[in-house]
Amino acid sequence: MTSVGELLARGIERLRAAGSEAPRLEAELLLGRALGVGRTVLLAHPEAPVGPDAERSFATDLERRAAGEPVAYIRGFREFYGLVFATDPRGLIPRPETELLVELAEREIARRLAAAPRPAGAPPLRVADVGTGSGTIAVSLAVLLRRRAIGPEVEIVASDDSPAALELARENAVGHGVADRIEFVAADLLPAPVRRPFDVIVANLPYVRSDEVDRLPVAVSFEPRSALDGGADGLAIIARLLDRLPEVAAAGGLVLLEIGADQADAICRLVGERLPGWRCRVEIDLAGRPRLARLERP
Ligand code: GLN
């Protein structure tokens, strides 16, 4: 029987030849999937024998990956912010850069609640995740708020114009036991009119320039293009949201937008043009790249 170590070596070679940028990690994840164990177990037992069924299913997965399919779609899940999210072609795969958005949003919500506690019966703080996709941001926030024992004082609305994405987002909410804490709505950006303006709006909208989408790694072509393609300058959809902010954001409201690393100047210029009086600041991520625009309504 073939050993774990031999199969790993074979898998790494196959993925390297196919152009993978992380052949070792991906081979480990896929062999772990075939065997139903985590990567650490594989590394601790390179001599362990692998049965023919697992070997076959590993070979199948390697070919899927070699053909370009993302590992997260093959495994059906991806870790984000210490949580596990179901992933399939209905929604964009959660990306680590979006963790910054969740972190800042959570901090901001907690700060606002501390500054203005909501006694029972007072209207809740309203939070919107616009273009929720697989639900990553809304569900992570709901889980983090539950950990802080924050309940009905915060209301989370998650919207998407793709019914398929909303379905996946709902499944992720159910999986994390927070389906009762998020209202999912099918809408282009946000419903019009909104029931009550939002205090905090977060969004990871499509922001990749159309001509760049086709130059992204093959794996990205398995994801919904509608989640990535931000039009000729990448900011077409974000600009449409900016135009709606006067109507959907509360006075003193905060808007956090994930952006591309080269869009910091462009986004604040747009805000200056379309939202007089609003403040625009760009936050730097752990890698030192400007990936988040922070808009404040006076
Ligand atoms: N960060 C993603 C990528 O470059 C883009 C996500 C988005 O457009 N919202 O693949």
Side-chain angles (χ1 to χ4, degrees), residues 73-97:
Y73 284 166
I74 299 172
R75 297 171 87 205
F77 66 87
R78 170 78 180 249
E79 295 87 357
F80 175 89
Y81 218 93
L83 302 168
V84 173
F85 285 87
T87 47
D88 64 39
R90 289 176 293 177
L92 198 73
I93 298 166
R95 288 160 165 66
E97 52 263 38

Side-chain angles (χ1 to χ4, degrees), residues 10 37 42 44 66 73 104 123 164 197 204 211 214 221 225 228 250 259 261 296:
R10 209 185 285 168
V37 300
L42 298 180
Y73 284 166
L104 294 185
N204 177 15
D211 62 339
D214 301 310
S221 68
R225 185 174 179 120
L228 294 155
I259 54 168
E296 281 171 87

